Amino acid sequence: MTPEPTRAGGTAVDALLDPGFLESAVQLPMADVRRLRRQAEQEEVNLSYTRRLLQGRLDIVRRELQRRAEHDGRSLVDLLPEILAEKGRGPAHGLGRHQTVQPAAPEEYEAWVHSLTPGVDLSAVPELSDAELEQAARGLAEAEGSLSERRRGVQRTMDGLAAELGRRYRNGEADVAALLADEGR
């Protein structure tokens, strides 16, 4: 039996999603709250990148199944520009956040996505049986749902930390000049 892959983002995201995380964060000094906000932003970027990898694989697998069902004479390679252009995908549900950081360890996220389809080599999609493709599609879709839920949770944590920072500035508990001095170091 193949072990279950770890949850998207692992223990770093688990910590951010802990119900008591924000409650304890508001008790911390300003510099620590800012550090936690940056950490949450990094984890959100990592999850977003992983989700894009996962969605790309899922789109390819689903399109191959569709190609076979419709007896489309084109090869999967011929269809890649169409697949990657996200034709047919609904509107984005992201929050339109400006990302100021890059994924921390892309090779780890690729390995995690690869672990979602044990025994199914997605580098050879046309050679896979329909049953293998359907199994891969189910596994990838389930993981995408879980990953998206965790990503939304991290976004809520980011918003909570940003709200706490804003509250401190509004209430005079923090000084913008001190922020600028800290950022300059």
Side-chain angles (χ1 to χ4, degrees), residues 39 43 100 103 107-108 117 143-144 163 183:
Q39 177 187 340
E43 294 304 329
T100 59
E107 62 286 345
E108 288 180 27
T117 54
E144 195 277 334
E183 295 292 323

Coordinates of all heavy atoms in Angstrom, one line a residue, residues 39 43 100 103 107-108 117 143-144 163 183:
Q39 N 5.8 35.3 6.5 CA 5.8 33.8 6.4 C 4.5 33.3 5.8 O 4.6 32.4 4.9 CB 6.0 33.2 7.8 CG 5.9 31.7 7.9 CD 5.9 31.2 9.3 OE1 6.3 31.9 10.3 NE2 5.5 30.0 9.5
E43 N 4.1 31.1 2.3 CA 3.4 29.8 2.2 C 2.2 29.9 1.2 O 1.9 28.9 0.5 CB 2.8 29.4 3.6 CG 4.0 29.0 4.6 CD 4.9 28.0 4.0 OE1 4.5 27.1 3.3 OE2 6.1 28.0 4.4
T100 N 4.9 39.3 -3.9 CA 6.2 40.0 -3.9 C 7.3 39.0 -3.7 O 8.5 39.3 -3.6 CB 6.2 41.0 -2.8 OG1 5.9 40.4 -1.5 CG2 5.2 42.1 -3.0
P103 N 8.1 31.2 -5.3 CA 8.1 29.9 -4.6 C 9.4 29.6 -4.0 O 10.5 29.8 -4.6 CB 7.7 28.9 -5.7 CG 7.0 29.8 -6.7 CD 7.7 31.1 -6.7
E107 N 11.2 22.5 -6.7 CA 11.4 21.1 -6.8 C 10.6 20.2 -5.8 O 10.2 19.1 -6.1 CB 12.9 20.7 -6.8 CG 13.6 21.0 -5.5 CD 13.9 22.5 -5.3 OE1 13.8 23.4 -6.2 OE2 14.2 22.8 -4.1
E108 N 10.5 20.8 -4.6 CA 9.7 20.1 -3.6 C 8.2 20.0 -4.0 O 7.5 19.0 -3.8 CB 9.8 20.8 -2.2 CG 11.2 20.6 -1.6 CD 11.2 21.3 -0.2 OE1 10.2 21.5 0.4 OE2 12.4 21.7 0.1
T117 N 0.0 10.8 -7.8 CA -0.3 9.7 -8.7 C 0.7 8.6 -8.7 O 1.4 8.3 -9.7 CB -0.5 10.3 -10.1 OG1 0.8 11.0 -10.5 CG2 -1.6 11.3 -10.2
A143 N -6.9 16.3 -4.6 CA -5.8 17.0 -4.0 C -6.0 18.5 -4.3 O -5.7 19.3 -3.4 CB -4.5 16.5 -4.5
E144 N -6.5 18.8 -5.4 CA -6.7 20.2 -5.8 C -7.7 20.9 -4.9 O -7.5 22.0 -4.4 CB -7.1 20.4 -7.3 CG -6.9 21.8 -7.8 CD -8.1 22.7 -7.5 OE1 -9.2 22.2 -7.3 OE2 -7.9 23.9 -7.5
A163 N -4.8 42.8 9.2 CA -5.8 43.6 10.0 C -5.2 43.9 11.3 O -5.4 45.1 11.8 CB -7.1 42.8 10.2
E183 N 12.5 48.3 7.9 CA 12.6 47.8 6.5 C 14.0 48.2 5.9 O 14.5 47.5 5.0 CB 11.5 48.4 5.6 CG 10.1 47.9 6.1 CD 9.9 46.4 5.8 OE1 10.4 46.0 4.7 OE2 9.2 45.8 6.6

